[in-house]
Every structure is written in C-alpha cells, then in structure tokens.
Amino acid sequence: MSEAEGLSVYFYGVVRGDNSGPLDGVTSIDGDVPVYGIAYRDLTVVVSDAQQTRYEVSRRNVLGHEAVVSTLMERFVVLPARFGSVRKRDQIASELLETFYEQLSMNLDRVDGMVEIRLVVHWTEMKTVIAEVVAADQWLKGVRRRLAVGRASQNMRLDVGKRVEQGIATKRFSEAADIVSGLKGCVAEDGVHRNETGEETRVLDASFLVHRDHVDDFTEAVTAYDAPVDGRYLMAVGAPSAPYSFARQLESAFLRPKFRDLG
C-alpha cells in the first residue's frame, strides 16, 4: 500500500463527472488544507486530508462542513456525506465508488436539481388535543366521570394515562399523514424522510426532497394547509439545504465494517 492510499481523508460527498485534482475556491473544514477530487469513471469523491481522526460536533466544524457542501452544490450535482465522515483514502477512492457505482449514480440522478427542506410541526395546545382524544373514546368519557368524583382506583388511573397516550399517538400519526399527503404535489416521488418526533407536542418532523424551482410552491402549500386549522399548529419550515436525508446509499455503505470510522 502506498503512502497516499494509507492516508485518512475527510469526506464531503460524491459529485457527478470527472473532477479529479484540486478544487479551487473551496475551503476545507480544516481551513488551509486543500479540497480535492478523486475520480472513478464519471463519479468523483470530494475530500481533504484529515487533520483529526474524529471531528468534534462544534458550530465551527459543522458550518465548515456545510460550507464545502454548499459550494459544491453551486457547481455540481452532489450526494452529500454526513458531518464527521473520516475514512481511509483507498476505501473512499476505490472501494466505495467501485462497489456502489450503480447505486450512487442512480441516487445522483434522483437528487439532481433537488434540495432538502425540513418541516417541524407542533400542536400549540395539548389540552385541546387531549380533550379530543377523550371525546372520541367512550371508555375514557365514562372513566372521566369516575375520576371527577374520586371513585377511580390507582390501576384505573394508570390505565387512563396509557389510553390517553395511545390516543395521542394515533392522532399524531393520522394528522402527520394528512400533512404529508397535502404536500406531496410539491415533493419528489419517495421524497419524504421522517425523523423521530420525540416531544409530546411534536406532530411531524420530516425532511422533503423538493426541486429547486418548487421551493416557493412548497412553502405556499404549507401555509395553505395551515390556514383552515388556524392556531392548531406551529409549523416551522427550514431553509433549503443539501439532500443529506436522501443520500441513503452512502449511509448504507458506511455501515459496512470496512467503511467504519477510524479511531
């Protein structure tokens, strides 16, 4: 193995075309370290020589990574890598592209002209949501009367809590599905990636694959959906970004043992 092959590189993503060699006007995550491409057929991996085995999740580092990807998107079709991808150069340059060439090529076609937009939706008033859950459940309505006069056992109170939680989960799933359905006219086919909701008030946390020319249409569709249910939701639309959530082939490849992070 040559010295070059043994190097560790910080990986920014895969771009269309033969773009081997230094990429002028691109500042790496480490500042003065050159960013360059290594080509295989008509695909190129974009990297810089890694100065660390692991990169701390800091504002400076994350913004540095995103700045490189954003610059690349101005010039190429990009399948972006997640922040902090450090690999052996020979794995990135040959094994990754050679092994996954067809899949990566198809994914690049899919994200051509696309951006990712994240939408986070919260219920604004949980008391209203809980009241709706209770009103729709005959068992809960009956138990509520017993709770009001202090005639419910501790086990019954626990059962009530579980039933309400289940009702909220069902309502969350249904309302999230309605929101996604209402936006599909502006979104690429199979262009919805759902994130974990986490918070009780969060109805939906999803990333959408949207064509650059339809970003305004997507924002208008969110507003149009929200208008008839005025005040029910707090809907936050993120700025267009690189399609990280849709670079699935890179994520799948990096789960393989030979592509695991260093250190």
Side-chain angles (χ1 to χ4, degrees):
M1 179 174 63
S2 70
E3 181 180 355
E5 290 175 330
L7 288 174
S8 298
V9 293
Y10 187 96
F11 176 44
Y12 302 99
V14 178
V15 303
R16 176 73 72 194
D18 182 344
N19 298 285
S20 55
L23 296 177
D24 295 334
V26 185
T27 302
S28 77
I29 191 172
D30 292 299
D32 294 336
V33 179
V35 175
Y36 59 96
I38 306 170
Y40 175 81
R41 295 171 65 177
D42 63 339
L43 300 183
T44 299
V45 289
V46 178
V47 300
S48 58
D49 292 341
Q51 307 303 296
Q52 306 170 47
T53 57
R54 289 188 183 277
Y55 282 74
E56 177 187 357
V57 182
S58 65
R59 184 175 185 275
R60 177 185 178 279
N61 285 342
V62 171
L63 290 179
H65 173 92
E66 291 180 352
V68 175
V69 174
S70 295
T71 302
L72 294 176
M73 287 183 67
E74 294 173 0
R75 305 183 189 181
F76 313 108
V77 180
V78 182
L79 202 60
R82 294 284 185 182
F83 167 80
S85 297
V86 177
R87 302 295 192 275
K88 289 292 188 182
R89 175 171 164 168
D90 58 336
Q91 293 175 334
I92 290 291
S94 58
E95 294 177 16
L96 174 64
L97 286 181
E98 185 173 359
T99 303
F100 296 98
Y101 174 81
E102 295 296 338
Q103 296 96 321
L104 291 171
S105 184
M106 286 189 293
N107 272 272
L108 278 163
D109 288 342
R110 183 175 177 232
V111 302
D112 190 359
M114 300 289 183
V115 293
E116 177 176 326
I117 302 178
R118 184 181 179 189
L119 173 65
V120 180
V121 181
H122 285 268
W123 282 308
T124 57
E125 185 52 73
M126 282 305 298
K127 288 182 179 180
T128 300
V129 175
I130 293 171
E132 291 171 353
V133 168
V134 173
D137 188 314
Q138 292 299 319
W139 184 85
L140 281 174
K141 285 199 293 186
V143 171
R144 181 177 59 178
R145 287 188 284 271
R146 298 181 66 177
L147 288 171
V149 296
R151 295 177 56 190
S153 67
Q154 181 62 27
N155 284 341
M156 181 173 287
R157 293 177 185 275
L158 292 174
D159 289 341
V160 167
K162 291 178 182 178
R163 189 100 167 197
V164 170
E165 286 181 4
Q166 291 170 354
I168 291 172
T170 300
K171 182 174 283 291
R172 177 183 294 112
F173 179 85
S174 175
E175 294 190 20
D178 286 345
I179 294 169
V180 170
S181 178
L183 299 175
K184 279 193 172 178
C186 307
V187 178
E189 184 178 355
D190 192 29
V192 181
H193 176 84
R194 296 203 187 197
N195 307 308
E196 292 294 328
T197 52
E199 301 172 43
E200 183 186 43
T201 63
R202 188 171 294 186
V203 182
L204 175 68
D205 184 345
S207 297
F208 296 83
L209 191 63
V210 179
H211 195 279
R212 290 177 185 273
D213 294 340
H214 297 159
V215 170
D216 289 342
D217 295 335
F218 179 85
T219 304
E220 290 171 5
V222 172
T223 302
Y225 185 91
D226 193 31
V229 288
D230 183 37
R232 183 175 183 82
Y233 301 123
L234 176 63
M235 307 181 81
V237 180
S241 66
Y244 290 102
S245 298
F246 302 92
R248 297 173 185 170
Q249 194 55 50
L250 288 181
E251 298 298 312
S252 298
F254 286 165
L255 290 175
R256 294 162 66 99
K258 67 181 178 180
F259 292 120
R260 277 183 289 192
D261 287 326
L262 304 173

